[in-house]
Amino acid sequence: MDNRPQKEHEWLQQWVGEWAYECECMMEPGKPPEKFKGSESVRTLGGFWVLCDGRSEMPGGMAAMLMTLGYDSRQQRFVGSWIGSMMGHLWVYDGSLDAQKNVLTLNTESPCCASDGKLVKQRDVIEVKNAGQRLLNSYLLGEDREWQLFMTTSYQRIR
Protein backbone atom coordinates (compact mmCIF):
# COMPACT_ATOMS: atom_id res chain seq x y z
CA MET A 1 0.00 0.00 0.00
CA ASP A 2 1.38 3.37 -1.05
CA ASN A 3 1.11 5.86 1.81
CA ARG A 4 1.88 8.91 -0.27
CA PRO A 5 -0.82 11.19 -1.70
CA GLN A 6 -1.57 10.50 -5.37
CA LYS A 7 -2.29 13.13 -8.05
CA GLU A 8 -6.02 12.82 -7.26
CA HIS A 9 -5.37 13.70 -3.62
CA GLU A 10 -3.29 16.66 -4.76
CA TRP A 11 -6.17 17.78 -7.02
CA LEU A 12 -8.40 18.12 -3.96
CA GLN A 13 -5.86 20.36 -2.20
CA GLN A 14 -6.79 23.27 -4.48
CA TRP A 15 -9.96 23.59 -2.39
CA VAL A 16 -8.04 24.38 0.82
CA GLY A 17 -8.87 27.90 2.01
CA GLU A 18 -11.76 30.14 2.98
CA TRP A 19 -14.79 30.46 0.71
CA ALA A 20 -18.05 32.43 0.55
CA TYR A 21 -20.99 30.97 -1.34
CA GLU A 22 -24.45 31.72 -2.65
CA CYS A 23 -26.95 28.91 -3.04
CA GLU A 24 -30.26 28.65 -4.87
CA CYS A 25 -32.30 25.59 -3.93
CA MET A 26 -35.72 24.16 -4.74
CA MET A 27 -36.96 23.41 -1.21
CA GLU A 28 -40.49 22.32 -2.15
CA PRO A 29 -42.02 21.21 -5.46
CA GLY A 30 -44.05 23.91 -7.16
CA LYS A 31 -42.53 26.74 -5.10
CA PRO A 32 -39.89 29.23 -6.23
CA PRO A 33 -36.29 28.46 -5.26
CA GLU A 34 -34.91 29.83 -2.02
CA LYS A 35 -31.59 31.66 -1.84
CA PHE A 36 -29.00 31.31 0.90
CA LYS A 37 -25.54 32.67 1.62
CA GLY A 38 -22.84 30.97 3.58
CA SER A 39 -19.17 30.38 4.20
CA GLU A 40 -16.92 27.36 4.03
CA SER A 41 -13.53 26.67 5.55
CA VAL A 42 -11.62 23.86 3.82
CA ARG A 43 -8.58 22.22 5.38
CA THR A 44 -6.48 19.20 4.54
CA LEU A 45 -6.09 16.05 6.60
CA GLY A 46 -2.70 14.49 5.90
CA GLY A 47 -2.78 15.46 2.23
CA PHE A 48 -5.25 12.63 1.57
CA TRP A 49 -8.52 14.29 2.54
CA VAL A 50 -10.18 17.68 2.49
CA LEU A 51 -12.63 18.63 5.23
CA CYS A 52 -15.14 21.27 4.12
CA ASP A 53 -16.76 22.93 7.14
CA GLY A 54 -19.71 25.09 6.09
CA ARG A 55 -22.10 27.53 7.73
CA SER A 56 -25.25 28.94 6.14
CA GLU A 57 -28.34 30.94 6.90
CA MET A 58 -31.51 28.88 6.55
CA PRO A 59 -35.16 29.26 7.50
CA GLY A 60 -35.25 28.95 11.27
CA GLY A 61 -31.61 29.94 11.85
CA MET A 62 -28.10 28.93 10.99
CA ALA A 63 -27.06 25.52 9.68
CA ALA A 64 -23.71 23.77 9.82
CA MET A 65 -22.44 21.24 7.27
CA LEU A 66 -19.36 19.03 7.00
CA MET A 67 -18.16 17.33 3.84
CA THR A 68 -15.19 14.98 3.63
CA LEU A 69 -13.57 14.12 0.31
CA GLY A 70 -10.64 11.91 -0.56
CA TYR A 71 -9.49 9.40 -3.13
CA ASP A 72 -9.44 5.62 -2.68
CA SER A 73 -6.41 4.44 -4.67
CA ARG A 74 -7.50 0.80 -4.60
CA GLN A 75 -10.96 1.52 -6.02
CA GLN A 76 -9.66 4.40 -8.16
CA ARG A 77 -12.67 6.44 -7.06
CA PHE A 78 -13.24 9.64 -5.12
CA VAL A 79 -15.03 8.92 -1.84
CA GLY A 80 -16.51 11.02 0.92
CA SER A 81 -19.45 12.00 3.04
CA TRP A 82 -21.72 14.94 3.86
CA ILE A 83 -23.71 15.72 7.00
CA GLY A 84 -25.74 18.74 8.05
CA SER A 85 -27.20 20.04 11.30
CA MET A 86 -30.64 20.31 9.68
CA MET A 87 -31.24 16.55 9.27
CA GLY A 88 -30.08 13.10 10.35
CA HIS A 89 -29.15 11.64 6.95
CA LEU A 90 -25.53 10.71 6.07
CA TRP A 91 -24.64 11.21 2.41
CA VAL A 92 -21.97 8.74 1.25
CA TYR A 93 -20.15 9.81 -1.92
CA ASP A 94 -18.58 7.80 -4.72
CA GLY A 95 -17.35 9.56 -7.82
CA SER A 96 -14.88 10.36 -10.54
CA LEU A 97 -13.03 13.24 -12.16
CA ASP A 98 -13.55 14.08 -15.83
CA ALA A 99 -10.74 13.74 -18.38
CA GLN A 100 -10.02 17.52 -18.31
CA LYS A 101 -9.59 17.34 -14.51
CA ASN A 102 -11.94 20.18 -13.67
CA VAL A 103 -15.31 18.44 -12.98
CA LEU A 104 -15.81 16.02 -10.09
CA THR A 105 -19.07 14.04 -10.25
CA LEU A 106 -20.18 12.48 -6.96
CA ASN A 107 -23.02 9.96 -6.69
CA THR A 108 -25.03 9.37 -3.52
CA GLU A 109 -28.56 8.85 -2.20
CA SER A 110 -30.62 11.46 -0.41
CA PRO A 111 -34.06 11.84 1.13
CA CYS A 112 -36.51 13.37 -1.32
CA CYS A 113 -38.80 16.14 -0.05
CA ALA A 114 -41.39 15.30 -2.72
CA SER A 115 -41.73 11.66 -1.65
CA ASP A 116 -41.91 11.79 2.16
CA GLY A 117 -38.19 11.24 2.64
CA LYS A 118 -37.84 8.18 0.41
CA LEU A 119 -34.21 7.79 -0.72
CA VAL A 120 -33.48 8.82 -4.31
CA LYS A 121 -30.33 8.90 -6.40
CA GLN A 122 -28.47 12.20 -6.22
CA ARG A 123 -25.59 13.50 -8.29
CA ASP A 124 -23.40 16.41 -7.18
CA VAL A 125 -21.33 17.90 -9.99
CA ILE A 126 -18.53 20.17 -8.77
CA GLU A 127 -16.73 22.24 -11.39
CA VAL A 128 -13.50 24.05 -10.56
CA LYS A 129 -13.68 27.16 -12.73
CA ASN A 130 -10.33 28.58 -11.59
CA ALA A 131 -8.27 28.95 -8.39
CA GLY A 132 -10.87 31.26 -6.86
CA GLN A 133 -14.15 29.89 -8.11
CA ARG A 134 -16.06 26.61 -8.11
CA LEU A 135 -19.63 25.66 -8.88
CA LEU A 136 -21.79 22.87 -7.44
CA ASN A 137 -24.88 21.66 -9.28
CA SER A 138 -26.99 19.04 -7.49
CA TYR A 139 -29.42 16.77 -9.32
CA LEU A 140 -32.04 14.23 -8.27
CA LEU A 141 -32.98 11.29 -10.46
CA GLY A 142 -36.68 11.64 -11.19
CA GLU A 143 -39.23 8.90 -11.63
CA ASP A 144 -38.91 9.59 -15.37
CA ARG A 145 -35.21 8.51 -15.06
CA GLU A 146 -34.08 12.06 -15.93
CA TRP A 147 -31.68 14.09 -13.77
CA GLN A 148 -33.40 17.20 -12.41
CA LEU A 149 -31.37 20.16 -11.19
CA PHE A 150 -32.56 21.23 -7.74
CA MET A 151 -29.65 23.23 -6.32
CA THR A 152 -26.85 25.46 -7.57
CA THR A 153 -24.11 26.79 -5.31
CA SER A 154 -21.45 29.26 -6.45
CA TYR A 155 -18.25 29.45 -4.35
CA GLN A 156 -15.81 32.37 -4.32
CA ARG A 157 -12.45 32.16 -2.57
CA ILE A 158 -11.95 34.86 0.05
CA ARG A 159 -8.50 33.56 1.21
Side-chain angles (χ1 to χ4, degrees):
M1 184 169 150
D2 192 352
N3 287 329
R4 291 173 294 175
Q6 307 296 304
K7 64 182 184 279
E8 292 84 1
H9 299 110
E10 292 168 8
W11 184 87
L12 287 169
Q13 301 308 305
Q14 67 186 316
W15 294 17
V16 172
E18 302 296 320
W19 300 81
Y21 65 83
E22 294 182 2
C23 177
E24 188 170 298
C25 183
M26 299 295 297
M27 300 296 279
E28 293 183 47
K31 298 212 174 173
E34 293 192 34
K35 295 182 180 184
F36 307 98
K37 290 183 180 183
S39 63
E40 184 179 66
S41 179
V42 181
R43 66 184 176 92
T44 187
L45 184 62
F48 291 96
W49 298 92
V50 291
L51 307 176
C52 309
D53 188 4
R55 302 268 183 268
S56 178
E57 59 189 40
M58 298 204 69
M62 292 296 288
M65 291 86 44
L66 181 63
M67 180 169 65
T68 65
L69 279 177
Y71 183 76
D72 185 320
S73 300
R74 287 181 296 142
Q75 295 181 50
Q76 297 186 345
R77 303 285 293 168
F78 284 85
V79 295
S81 63
W82 188 94
I83 54 173
S85 64
M86 70 292 287
M87 64 185 75
H89 181 74
L90 169 69
W91 278 255
V92 177
Y93 286 124
D94 171 76
S96 60
L97 194 56
D98 73 334
Q100 292 75 35
K101 308 235 183 297
N102 64 349
V103 177
L104 177 62
T105 299
L106 299 168
N107 298 298
T108 189
E109 289 187 323
S110 68
C112 179
C113 302
S115 62
D116 296 327
K118 175 183 137 194
L119 291 181
V120 296
K121 302 268 185 219
Q122 180 175 325
R123 179 171 287 162
D124 287 348
V125 180
I126 304 166
E127 179 180 2
V128 176
K129 300 277 196 180
N130 56 52
Q133 194 176 30
R134 59 190 158 98
L135 179 68
L136 163 66
N137 284 312
S138 296
Y139 302 86
L140 294 176
L141 187 61
E143 291 181 11
D144 59 1
R145 307 303 297 162
E146 296 289 325
W147 290 102
Q148 300 164 3
L149 178 67
F150 76 94
M151 184 175 71
T152 298
T153 308
S154 179
Y155 294 83
Q156 299 291 324
R157 184 182 297 277
I158 53 178
R159 283 189 282 205

